[in-house]
Amino acid sequence: MTSRRRYLGVATNDVLEPLAALMEASTPPAAYRDALQHLGDCLANRMSQSVDLKGKVVLVVAGVEDVDSLGSGFIEVLAKAGADVRLTCLWMDRKTLKVPYREEVANIIQEYMDPIPPHVDHFVVLKSIVSSSCTIRTSLLRMLDETDPGRIHVASPVMLKGARKRLEAEFPASVGDKFEYWILAVDAQADENGNVIPGIGGSVYQRMGFDSQDDKNFYMPALVADRIVSRRKPSDQPSL
């Protein structure tokens, strides 16, 4: 099967090389995560060059599998741009229903949230690949229940052609019309299992070294663990 890919923006080596690492089947999990972290840098740099983030509250929501890789690079760059970055991490159980037709659903089984202020300037849904509306829709609905942001962004290294239209169809125009996209490449094909070609080289869970979705949902990202510790009061800290 011949794959078709279209790059958005200038396809420089800092974009092409990590995307190539994701597609390469021999890339080990640690290098795969490093490539995603670099792509998080690229996405955040594009956003910060176009949007004034200094002093703005930016709420970033990501699945547990993306936080320490894509999320780490993305958040670091936004913070350097002067943004007040708040993180929400979601552990989701994703299932594919095949009757009467193929449909994907995602349920939140656990979550971590930084304190959310009364006003959020920018809300960013960050995902390693956008192929369906499933987990993004779940993430958006969960956070829109918490806040009414000024602007809504969807950021991902790769998107499947047509996914944007499907996502926006899940929301009323008053919400869908607010979406702004930060995407590095658009692929036109997916296989019979829904895997985008070339996409990010298959299942992100397996490529990162998780045995299964359940294994992924037992993982505690270092970025989340550090934030939990930093939020503890001095009296809550364990004694040495």
Side-chain angles (χ1 to χ4, degrees):
M1 181 180 291
T2 302
S3 60
R4 291 177 292 162
R5 166 165 285 182
R6 176 169 59 93
Y7 294 98
L8 304 184
V10 180
T12 52
N13 285 338
D14 63 337
V15 171
L16 295 175
E17 290 177 0
L19 282 175
L22 298 185
M23 293 185 290
E24 177 55 57
S26 63
T27 301
Y32 189 89
R33 293 190 188 98
D34 287 345
L36 278 172
Q37 181 173 345
H38 192 85
L39 291 168
D41 293 349
C42 294
L43 287 165
N45 276 316
R46 288 194 180 184
M47 181 176 174
S48 62
Q49 288 167 8
S50 300
V51 181
D52 182 12
L53 298 174
K54 188 172 183 179
K56 305 296 185 181
V57 176
V58 181
L59 173 58
V60 177
V61 59
V64 60
E65 68 276 10
D66 288 327
V67 169
D68 275 346
S69 52
L70 189 69
S72 177
F74 190 83
I75 289 171
E76 182 179 359
V77 171
L78 294 193
K80 288 180 179 178
D84 177 3
V85 184
R86 308 298 176 100
L87 170 67
T88 289
C89 173
L90 300 177
W91 287 255
M92 287 184 272
D93 181 39
R94 182 172 178 172
K95 290 182 170 60
T96 300
L97 307 178
K98 296 185 179 179
V99 288
Y101 51 85
R102 182 185 177 91
E103 181 178 356
E104 294 183 333
V105 295
N107 296 314
I108 298 170
I109 59 176
Q110 184 175 326
E111 62 185 35
Y112 164 82
M113 287 187 190
D114 281 339
I116 300 175
H119 176 71
V120 172
D121 298 291
H122 299 274
F123 171 39
V124 183
V125 182
L126 186 64
K127 191 127 181 8
S128 50
I129 188 166
V130 179
S131 58
S132 70
S133 61
C134 176
T135 56
I136 293 183
R137 178 180 182 274
T138 300
S139 301
L140 278 164
L141 289 174
R142 177 65 188 94
M143 300 318 299
L144 290 173
D145 192 44
E146 296 288 331
T147 183
D148 182 18
R151 296 168 70 174
I152 300 173
H153 308 263
V154 176
S156 178
V158 180
M159 174 182 275
L160 177 63
K161 183 179 180 181
R164 173 174 178 169
K165 184 177 180 180
R166 291 190 293 272
L167 174 61
E168 292 175 359
E170 297 278 359
F171 296 90
S174 59
V175 176
D177 288 348
K178 295 173 71 173
F179 293 173
E180 301 174 51
Y181 296 87
W182 306 96
I183 308 294
L184 302 177
V186 176
D187 289 338
Q189 295 174 308
D191 64 20
E192 63 276 8
N193 296 316
N195 293 315
V196 179
I197 301 171
I200 54 172
S203 166
V204 68
Y205 306 155
Q206 295 174 354
R207 296 301 308 274
M208 286 189 175
F210 296 113
D211 293 331
S212 64
Q213 180 173 223
D214 288 341
D215 185 31
K216 176 264 298 184
N217 281 333
F218 277 104
Y219 178 68
M220 170 60 74
L223 196 61
V224 172
D226 289 345
R227 287 168 118 82
I228 291 173
V229 170
S230 68
R231 284 173 57 186
R232 288 177 179 169
K233 297 178 182 178
S235 58
D236 294 333
Q237 299 286 351
S239 58
L240 298 177

